[in-house]
Amino acid sequence: MSRRCELTGKGPMTGNNVSHANNRTKRRFLPNLNAVTLYSEILDCSFKFRISAHALRSVDHRGGLDAYLMKAKDDQLSIKAQKVKKDILSAMTA
């Protein structure tokens, strides 16, 4: 399982550990990923995602999963999230 947020696309970053003597060694900064279950009001069902804490705050701020996915760009979303977005769009038009 990759360490990548399914809604924002955030992944690991690289940088340096810097000691007091200014020695530098490579390190990785991992995103704060959480396994959460988000509810879609339009589809009336729940979906499990592995998303960052920042994305969870954004979903709450936008008013839920449906509103977040409507404004999200497809290139940031995972394949699973793109399918959910497509299902929501088709349910809204029907």
Side-chain angles (χ1 to χ4, degrees):
M1 186 183 300
S2 66
R3 291 186 168 110
R4 188 159 298 275
C5 176
E6 292 189 62
L7 297 183
T8 60
K10 282 188 177 195
M13 294 173 55
T14 59
N16 290 311
N17 277 330
V18 182
S19 70
H20 185 66
N22 210 26
N23 298 329
R24 294 163 191 264
T25 57
K26 282 296 197 183
R27 64 161 292 183
R28 286 173 46 141
F29 295 93
L30 300 177
N32 183 10
L33 295 180
N34 301 303
V36 296
T37 302
L38 299 173
Y39 181 74
S40 170
E41 295 174 357
I42 294 173
L43 298 177
D44 196 34
C45 62
S46 300
F47 298 96
K48 287 187 177 184
F49 290 109
R50 194 164 181 230
I51 63 173
S52 63
H54 184 275
L56 185 58
R57 287 171 50 106
S58 298
V59 169
D60 288 341
H61 178 74
R62 291 236 177 109
L65 179 65
D66 302 330
Y68 181 86
L69 288 177
M70 290 303 104
K71 287 195 171 189
K73 297 178 181 171
D74 286 340
D75 59 335
Q76 292 180 343
L77 298 174
S78 67
I79 295 171
K80 179 179 170 185
Q82 287 177 7
K83 287 181 183 177
V84 173
K85 181 178 179 178
K86 184 177 149 192
D87 292 343
I88 290 171
L89 283 171
S90 64
M92 286 175 69
T93 58

